[in-house]
Amino acid sequence: MALLAGGVALGAQADHMARQQAEQQAAAAGPGAAHAAASGRFGEALQQTQRWLADCLPATFLSHSQARGGGTAGAGGTAVDLRAAGTAPLGGCLSPYYISDAAAKAAPAVVNITVQASGVLPVGSSGSGFIVESDGTILTNAHVVSDAIQRHYFGAGSNSTGGGGPLGPGKGITVTLQDGRIFEGRLVSYDTVSDLAVLKVESDAPLPTARLGRSSSLRVGEWVVALGSPLHLQNSVTAGIVSCVDRKAVELGLAGARTDYIQTDAAINKGNSGGPLVNLFGEVVGISAMKAVAADGVSFAIPVDAAVDVMRQLREHGRVIRPYVGIKMLQLNKHNAAQFRKRDANFPRVDAGILVPGVHPGSPAERAGLRAGDVIVGFAGRSRDVTTTALIKALGEHIGKPLALKVARPGDVIETVTVVALEAVDGHH
C-alpha cells in the first residue's frame, strides 16, 4: 500500500516537474511564443520523466497512478503509453519479482541435508547446503553434519589430517535437491573453527550449481535472500537487508571463531544453516549460520570469501592453515587514533595501522620483541591498507618463516620487529 502511494506521489511530482520545465523553456523563447510552445514541450518533458519513472516503478503501479490522475497524460490529455515507449513492463529496481528472480537463480542448487543418527533416533543433525561444482561438491555448515563428523572423527582415530571417505551403509548423509532427486552423500572434509564442511554426491549427469559472488563488495542496507529448509520446510525463501558487513566474532561471544560475520534481518532459523545467502543477482555472498536466540531479525552468515578460502585450503592441504603469533589486535583509524592520543600524549602520531593491546606471555610475538601499545604500520613491504585481515593473511603465508613488521612506538619511534608465526592447532579434518 505504501509502495502504491509512493507511485502515485511520484506521478504527481512528475507532472509538476515536467510542467515547470516546459514553462521555463517557453518563457525563455519570449512572451509571444510561450503559449504556443508550452503544450508541446510539456508533453515531451512529461514523456521523458515518465520513462525515468518506468525504470524504477513497475507498470502496475504506474497504471494505478494513471487511473488516479497521477500524471501519465501527455499534452492535450493524451495518455502516455509506457510500453510503447520501449520500457519493460515489470523491469526496474521495484519490480514485484526482484526477490523472486534472485531466488530462482540459486534455488536449483540448494539442497536439504539430513544425517542418520547413531542412536535410537532416526534422524540426527540436519540443515541446508548448496552445490558449488557440477560434479556434486556441496558446501554447508559443519554443525549441519555434526553427527557424521563425530562418527568420522572417532572412526578415524582423531587423525588431524583425515579427509572423510564414505560413512558406510546405513550411516550416511541424505541429500535432497529442489527437484526431488535424492542422493547419498559423503563427508569429504570439514573445519569446525569456521563451521564449514564439504560434502560430495555422485550423479550421472552434471548438477546445477550456485554462482559465487564476493562478500567483500556487500554494503549495509543491501537486499539479500536466504534459501534453505527451516524447520524441515524445504525450498523456503526469506528476504531482508544486510545489517552489518563485518560483525566481529567476539561481539557474538564466539571467542574461538576466526572470521567476521554478515549480519542480516532475513529470517534464518533452524534448518536454514548451511544454505546460501544471495544478493539480487542470485550470487552467493554468505552461508547462513545462526541467529540470535533472544531477538528477531538478527541473523548471521559466514562471508563467502572466507568460505572459498577454507575450501581451497581443505582441498590443497587437507586442513586450514592458520597463524599464531600471540597478540590481540585493534584496527586503528584517524578517529580512534585521535582519541588514544588525547588520553595519552605519548601515543604514536598515526592515523591508521593495527594497535597491539596485549601480547601473550611466551608467544612468538613476545619472543620477537612486540610489546603492548605497539602500533603495526607496515609489514612485508606494505605501508598502505594495513589491516588486521591483510596481516593475518600475510602471517598465514609466512608460517615458520620470518615476517618483518614495521612498528610505531611511544615517542614516535619507528622500529622493525621480525616475527615467526606458528601454525595454530584448530579443529580441521
Side-chain angles (χ1 to χ4, degrees), residues 10-12 14-16 18-19 38-51 53 62-82:
L10 282 174
D15 276 348
H16 179 68
R19 192 177 297 279
S39 178
R41 288 179 176 172
F42 169 70
E44 293 176 5
L46 178 59
Q47 289 190 39
Q48 292 177 358
T49 307
Q50 291 296 339
R51 288 192 184 97
L53 283 174
L62 292 176
S63 297
H64 284 290
S65 177
Q66 177 180 355
R68 297 179 58 177
T72 56
T78 303
V80 178
D81 187 350
L82 298 176

Side-chain angles (χ1 to χ4, degrees), residues 5-362:
V8 175
L10 282 174
Q13 185 180 11
D15 276 348
H16 179 68
M17 292 168 56
R19 192 177 297 279
Q20 275 191 328
Q21 180 181 354
E23 289 174 353
Q24 290 170 0
Q25 291 176 347
H35 180 74
S39 178
R41 288 179 176 172
F42 169 70
E44 293 176 5
L46 178 59
Q47 289 190 39
Q48 292 177 358
T49 307
Q50 291 296 339
R51 288 192 184 97
W52 171 80
L53 283 174
D55 286 337
C56 282
L57 285 176
T60 50
F61 293 118
L62 292 176
S63 297
H64 284 290
S65 177
Q66 177 180 355
R68 297 179 58 177
T72 56
T78 303
V80 178
D81 187 350
L82 298 176
R83 294 176 179 83
T87 303
L90 289 176
C93 56
L94 292 181
S95 164
Y97 303 124
Y98 71 110
I99 296 293
S100 305
D101 292 341
K105 292 177 181 178
V110 180
V111 301
N112 174 250
I113 300 169
T114 58
V115 181
Q116 181 175 337
S118 301
V120 295
L121 296 176
V123 177
S125 53
S126 63
S128 306
F130 56 98
I131 304 170
V132 293
E133 295 178 6
S134 59
D135 64 355
T137 300
I138 296 170
L139 182 62
T140 185
N141 286 142
H143 74 261
V144 169
V145 291
S146 58
D147 283 345
I149 288 175
Q150 290 179 15
R151 289 196 297 267
H152 178 267
Y153 182 81
F154 291 112
S158 303
N159 180 5
S160 63
T161 60
L167 297 178
K171 294 185 178 181
I173 302 168
T174 301
V175 176
T176 305
L177 272 64
Q178 185 194 45
D179 58 19
R181 284 182 288 176
I182 300 175
F183 297 91
E184 183 73 15
R186 64 181 175 90
L187 179 64
V188 176
S189 54
Y190 61 91
D191 178 63
T192 56
V193 173
S194 61
D195 191 22
L196 292 170
V198 178
L199 311 181
K200 186 75 160 56
V201 298
E202 303 297 334
S203 174
D204 295 333
L207 296 175
T209 61
R211 181 178 177 182
L212 303 184
R214 293 178 56 198
S215 52
S216 59
S217 64
L218 277 176
R219 299 174 59 188
V220 172
E222 182 174 343
W223 280 99
V224 285
V225 183
L227 297 89
S229 305
L231 307 177
H232 295 285
L233 301 173
Q234 298 185 28
N235 307 326
S236 295
V237 176
T238 60
I241 63 168
V242 174
S243 306
C244 180
V245 296
D246 56 354
R247 183 64 65 201
K248 306 300 181 185
V250 67
E251 296 179 70
L252 307 179
L254 304 174
R258 293 172 176 258
T259 184
D260 297 339
Y261 290 86
I262 301 166
Q263 181 181 330
T264 177
D265 66 354
I268 294 177
N269 294 291
K270 183 178 180 180
N272 272 115
S273 294
L277 186 74
V278 305
N279 58 23
L280 292 189
F281 295 105
E283 301 169 332
V284 179
V285 292
I287 296 88
S288 299
M290 55 188 168
K291 62 169 290 187
V293 176
D296 293 326
V298 183
S299 303
F300 304 95
I302 300 167
V304 73
D305 294 354
V308 168
D309 183 62
V310 168
M311 288 185 64
R312 176 188 62 80
Q313 293 202 53
L314 287 173
R315 180 171 293 174
E316 293 179 359
H317 310 296
R319 66 187 191 281
V320 180
I321 299 175
R322 297 184 175 91
Y324 169 73
V325 291
I327 61 174
K328 296 180 180 179
M329 297 186 291
L330 175 65
Q331 188 68 56
L332 289 180
N333 55 49
K334 63 180 182 180
H335 302 293
N336 59 9
Q339 285 189 328
F340 284 122
R341 279 196 299 273
K342 189 175 181 179
R343 297 172 188 171
D344 183 358
N346 290 323
F347 190 84
R349 295 184 178 276
V350 298
D351 291 330
I354 303 169
L355 174 64
V356 180
V359 179
H360 296 172

